[in-house]
């Protein structure tokens, strides 16, 4: 069975190699036919990325060509992509200071431009550079950031690669069980199998060797070597040969060790893989130690010289200086953010103080007209009411913040279309201008006509998406305007759907890692219901926010439980294709149903649920289960009052570790 799996894996790798060759031929063909410089830059970058694991010096030269061309035409993305390709080539040749410097510059740019794919690539080259020069703490932090970003993308864009990188970092810090867990997890993703299958196989082999399972290590080394050879990944192939040679040394088979170490050395010297060259020298020195001390000493000297060139004090000083400057820059950003928050807090505190003083003055004048015997009681009561009013206002402002974040997310999409089509129109008009500057005999009227038609079509799209943004703003204004307190016919289904999305996008705006499944089931026969939409909207927003919060809390605990359940013991046979059970999926649902003269709105979640001993307390003012500072305890109390004022009822049903369900009953008329 195991041989069959390996055979299937090799067949997939051969197909992938064929696709690689076709890709290389395609890029070279396109490069020879490219008509504009920006296209040439993109193709040069693609070609450099293709070569860096097989010919890093060639990849470096190609990336430099792309960089110079991008700079000459002011093509910023092309320039930063070239920087990233130079960083990967530098990493492959073990020039870690250069790789970290260029990778960090590219990371800042792609983070700022919200280019997720390129940001993930920048994280990858930086974490690998820090890892290979021994800074595992910094490397692990970068790996976790990359994984968080990958999880926020559709289909978990690069999760497999991120899990594999994290596994290699745990191997470096000698936590071999964790390394094996993450390496196994990585090959449940297609991106890891297609691009890193060979490297992952030999990393699993290295981990097995450390866990004293030499037979399994040998199988994974051979499989990794076969795949890496097919994919022409010479850097990792040299690493795999070195690892296999080390295994033979541990088994006292020095002739085999010398054979594979020499193969690794030949590749590393020819292709300038300096890290692998240093390792091969050291392995050869150890292999010759008992048979030819002169040869062993010679290889040891070469190993020390190669290692010194990689990790000399000057390079370590460069990395330390870069990290120090980066830390200063991060601290300056944090300091500026803290100052901004403190300034806002000061403004809010000043406003609250002014409000408090106004209330106190009012109470003082009022109390002078009251009997002296009641002065203390009335003053205490007024202060209590003032404090409650402030907390209620705080709750309303929190709701407003959630609405604002959701609205911003809704508007961003059509605005992106407007901006993108505007830029395209500008480029096309420049092209039209250039065409019309040509002598009359050289002008291509068909090209001009095509450009004009494209500009008209793009303008129509700009107009369409501009109107779409305007409609969103108009709709939001209608729902956020000050209410008159008068009931009006309202589409309950539309109201529920709108506030569900606003709550979700508001939370997503504050925490990009937050994800949840939203389900709706609306009774279309309900029609219009007389309510105060702003008030019922506030109730729905409170319930949705609480539901998403409960899901988030359970999701965090579910991830920890999953990791603990899937830790791999030393005695368990390791199969890289073993599937990991799916994690908990947070889900929030809303349903509407007409029941006689009433409308039922049900908001449910599959979060942690509410303990039975406190279910009866949740509608009490100031009662909250959230940590201090995260809730006022007034959201459900206000919701209860609003529903009662509409002549309705609100109920709750909950089971611990299963979820919670709120049911709102409103009269139809």
């Amino acid at each position: 069975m195991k041989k069959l799996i390996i055979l299937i894996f090799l067949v997939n790798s051969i197909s992938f190699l064929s696709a690689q060759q076709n890709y290389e031929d395609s890029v070279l063909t396109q490069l020879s036919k490219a008509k504009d410089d920006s296209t040439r830059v993109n193709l040069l970058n693609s070609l450099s990325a293709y070569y860096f694991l097989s010919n890093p010096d060639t990849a470096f030269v190609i990336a430099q060509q792309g960089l110079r061309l991008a700079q000459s035409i002011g093509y910023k993305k092309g320039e930063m992509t070239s920087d990233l390709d130079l960083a990967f080539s530098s990493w492959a040749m073990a020039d870690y200071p250069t790789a970290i410097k260029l990778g960090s510059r590219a990371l800042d740019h792609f983070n700022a431009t919200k280019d997720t794919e390129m940001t993930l690539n920048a994280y990858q080259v930086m974490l690998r550079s820090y890892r290979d020069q021994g800074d595992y703490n910094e490397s692990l932090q970068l790996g976790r950031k990359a994984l968080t970003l990958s999880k926020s993308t559709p289909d978990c864009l690069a999760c497999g690669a991120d899990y594999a990188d994290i596994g290699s970092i745990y191997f470096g810090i000698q936590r071999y069980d964790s390394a094996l867990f993450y390496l196994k997890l990585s090959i449940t993703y297609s991106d890891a199998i297609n691009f890193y299958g060979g490297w992952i196989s030999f990393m699993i082999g290295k981990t097995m060797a450390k866990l004293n399972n030499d037979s399994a290590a040998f199988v994974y080394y051979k499989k990794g070597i076969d795949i890496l050879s097919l994919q022409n990944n010479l850097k990792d192939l040299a690493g795999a040969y070195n690892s296999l040679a080390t295994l033979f040394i541990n088994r006292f088979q020095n002739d085999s060790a010398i054979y594979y170490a020499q193969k690794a050395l030949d590749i590393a010297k020819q292709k300038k893989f300096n890290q692998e060259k240093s390792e091969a020298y050291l392995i050869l020195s150890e292999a010759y130690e008992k048979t030819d001390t002169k040869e062993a000493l010679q290889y040891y000297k070469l190993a020390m010289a190669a290692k010194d060139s990689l990790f000399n004090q000057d390079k370590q000083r460069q990395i330390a200086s870069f990290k120090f400057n980066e830390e200063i820059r991060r601290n300056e950003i944090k300091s500026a953010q803290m100052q901004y928050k403190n300034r806002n807090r000061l403004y809010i505190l000043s406003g609250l103080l002014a409000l408090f003083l106004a209330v106190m003055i009012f109470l003082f004048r009022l109390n002078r007209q009251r009997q002296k015997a009641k002065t203390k009681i009335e003053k205490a009561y007024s202060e209590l009411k003032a404090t409650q009013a402030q907390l209620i206002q705080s709750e309303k402002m929190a709701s407003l913040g959630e609405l604002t974040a959701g609205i911003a997310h809704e508007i961003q999409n059509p605005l992106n279309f407007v901006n993108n089509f505007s830029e395209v129109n500008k480029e096309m008009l420049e092209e039209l201008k250039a065409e019309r500057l040509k002598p009359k005999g050289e002008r291509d009227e068909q090209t001009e006509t095509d450009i004009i038609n494209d500009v008209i079509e793009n303008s129509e799209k700009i107009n369409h998406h501009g109107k779409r943004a305007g409609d969103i703003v108009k709709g939001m204004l209608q729902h956020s305007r000050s209410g008159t307190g008068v009931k009006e016919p309202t589409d309950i289904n539309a109201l529920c759907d709108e506030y569900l999305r606003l709550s979700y996008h508001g939370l997503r705006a504050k925490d990009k890692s937050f994800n949840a499944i939203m389900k709706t089931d609306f009774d279309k026969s309900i029609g219009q219901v007389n309510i105060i939409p702003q008030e019922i909207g506030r109730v729905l927003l409170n319930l949705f926010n609480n539901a998403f919060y409960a899901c988030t809390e359970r999701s965090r605990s579910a991830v920890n439980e999953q990791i603990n359940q899937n830790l791999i013991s030393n005695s368990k046979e390791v199969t890289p294709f073993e599937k990991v059970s799916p994690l908990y999926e947070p889900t929030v649902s809303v349903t509407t149903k007409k029941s006689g003269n009433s409308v039922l709105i049900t908001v449910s979640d599959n979060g942690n649920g509410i303990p039975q001993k406190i279910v009866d307390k949740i509608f009490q003012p100031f009662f909250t289960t959230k940590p201090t500072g995260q809730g006022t305890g007034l959201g459900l109390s206000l919701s209860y009052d609003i529903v009662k004022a509409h002549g309705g009822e609100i109920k709750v049903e909950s089971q611990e570790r299963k979820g919670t369900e709120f049911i709102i009953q409103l009269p139809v008329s």
Side-chain angles (χ1 to χ4, degrees), residues 118-155:
M118 299 306 293
T119 299
L120 288 170
N121 289 337
Y123 273 131
Q124 188 179 77
V125 73
M126 288 186 67
L127 74 87
R128 291 182 180 182
S129 298
Y130 277 117
R131 177 198 65 194
D132 291 350
Q133 63 90 36
D135 192 343
Y136 297 111
N137 183 52
E138 185 71 22
S139 181
L140 189 57
Q141 289 184 36
L142 291 168
R144 287 170 176 164
K145 289 180 181 179
L147 182 59
T148 299
L149 182 58
S150 293
K151 287 182 177 180
S152 70
T153 62
D155 301 322

Side-chain angles (χ1 to χ4, degrees), residues 381-398:
Y381 178 76
S382 298
E383 288 177 348
L384 178 61
K385 293 294 289 185
T387 303
Q388 185 179 15
Q390 292 174 26
L391 288 174
I392 291 173
Q393 183 63 23
S394 175
E395 186 74 22
K396 291 180 179 179
M397 292 302 293

Side-chain angles (χ1 to χ4, degrees), residues 182-409:
Y182 281 105
L183 289 167
K184 283 189 61 181
L185 186 59
S186 72
I187 55 177
T188 62
Y189 293 87
S190 59
D191 68 294
I193 293 177
N194 289 338
F195 295 98
Y196 306 106
W199 173 69
I200 294 172
S201 292
F202 106 74
M203 279 302 302
I204 293 176
K206 288 179 69 174
T207 309
M208 290 299 224
K210 290 294 184 181
L211 294 172
N212 299 319
N213 191 345
D214 288 353
S215 58
F218 183 79
V219 170
Y220 280 110
Y221 284 151
K222 293 296 289 181
K223 182 175 67 173
I225 288 171
D226 290 342
I227 298 170
L228 292 167
S229 300
L230 288 171
Q231 294 181 336
N232 200 32
N233 182 348
L234 301 183
K235 175 178 171 59
D236 293 325
L237 181 61
Y241 282 143
N242 277 332
S243 297
L244 187 56
T246 301
L247 183 65
F248 280 121
I249 286 179
N250 294 335
R251 299 175 74 172
F252 306 104
Q253 297 177 352
N254 285 353
D255 289 342
S256 297
I258 291 170
Y259 172 76
Y260 283 107
Q262 190 61 55
K263 291 187 73 170
L265 181 61
D266 291 342
I267 295 173
K269 288 173 66 176
Q270 180 183 2
K271 300 299 183 180
K272 299 181 181 179
F273 298 127
N274 297 319
Q275 176 80 14
E276 288 72 17
K277 181 176 70 175
S278 173
E279 292 172 356
Y281 280 141
L282 203 57
I283 294 169
L284 287 168
S285 172
E286 186 177 355
Y288 278 114
E289 188 173 353
K290 293 183 179 179
T291 59
D292 190 338
T293 55
K294 183 178 179 181
E295 194 75 9
L297 180 60
Q298 180 64 27
Y299 278 117
Y300 183 78
K301 290 180 179 179
L302 291 170
M304 292 302 100
K307 186 175 181 180
D308 183 63
S309 69
L310 295 178
F311 304 107
N312 58 47
Q313 290 185 358
D314 183 53
K315 287 191 175 182
Q316 294 300 313
R317 196 160 42 245
Q318 289 180 42
I319 293 175
S321 175
F322 176 80
K323 285 187 66 179
F324 179 74
N325 291 333
E326 275 294 290
E327 191 64 28
I328 291 176
R329 186 176 70 85
R330 291 172 187 169
N331 288 338
E332 288 176 347
I333 293 173
K334 288 181 180 178
S335 177
Q337 291 173 342
M338 185 60 68
Q339 290 178 8
Y340 176 75
K341 289 180 180 179
N342 288 339
R343 188 163 55 248
N344 286 344
R345 288 172 182 168
L346 181 60
Y347 292 153
I348 293 172
L349 182 60
S350 299
L352 291 175
L353 181 59
L355 178 61
F356 180 75
L357 290 173
V359 172
M360 289 299 296
I361 292 171
F362 171 76
L363 292 176
F364 176 73
R365 292 178 177 176
L366 181 64
N367 288 340
R368 290 179 61 183
Q369 300 172 11
R370 300 294 178 91
Q371 299 176 6
K372 292 182 179 181
K374 298 180 181 179
T375 301
K376 291 183 179 180
I377 298 175
E378 291 180 356
K379 182 178 180 181
Y381 178 76
S382 298
E383 288 177 348
L384 178 61
K385 293 294 289 185
T387 303
Q388 185 179 15
Q390 292 174 26
L391 288 174
I392 291 173
Q393 183 63 23
S394 175
E395 186 74 22
K396 291 180 179 179
M397 292 302 293
S399 298
L400 180 60
E402 303 291 347
L403 283 172
T404 303
I407 293 168
H409 185 278

Side-chain angles (χ1 to χ4, degrees), residues 83-182:
D83 268 357
L84 198 54
D85 289 333
L86 290 170
F88 273 107
S89 300
S90 299
W91 163 72
M93 294 185 288
D95 184 358
Y96 303 127
T98 300
I100 291 171
K101 181 179 179 181
L102 293 173
S104 177
R105 188 163 66 186
L107 178 62
D108 287 342
H109 173 78
F110 291 122
N111 250 331
T113 58
K114 308 296 183 184
D115 191 328
T116 302
E117 182 177 358
M118 299 306 293
T119 299
L120 288 170
N121 289 337
Y123 273 131
Q124 188 179 77
V125 73
M126 288 186 67
L127 74 87
R128 291 182 180 182
S129 298
Y130 277 117
R131 177 198 65 194
D132 291 350
Q133 63 90 36
D135 192 343
Y136 297 111
N137 183 52
E138 185 71 22
S139 181
L140 189 57
Q141 289 184 36
L142 291 168
R144 287 170 176 164
K145 289 180 181 179
L147 182 59
T148 299
L149 182 58
S150 293
K151 287 182 177 180
S152 70
T153 62
D155 301 322
C156 212
L157 179 64
C159 286
D162 293 333
Y163 281 127
D165 282 328
I166 290 173
S168 71
I169 297 168
Y170 278 120
F171 178 88
I173 57 180
Q174 301 179 14
R175 291 175 57 180
Y176 303 120
D177 286 341
S178 296
L180 202 56
F181 170 74
Y182 281 105

Side-chain angles (χ1 to χ4, degrees), residues 435-476:
E435 187 68 28
R436 291 196 169 181
L437 289 175
K438 293 180 181 180
K440 190 169 184 180
E442 298 179 10
R443 285 171 54 183
D444 188 339
E445 292 184 0
Q446 183 60 42
T447 298
E448 293 178 1
T449 301
D450 291 344
I451 291 173
I452 291 171
N453 289 337
D454 288 344
V455 170
I456 292 172
E457 187 176 317
N458 288 348
S459 297
E460 292 174 351
K461 292 177 180 178
I462 290 171
N463 180 262
H464 168 74
H465 290 289
K467 288 181 177 179
R468 181 183 166 200
D471 291 340
I472 291 171
V473 172
K474 187 183 299 181
M476 294 304 104

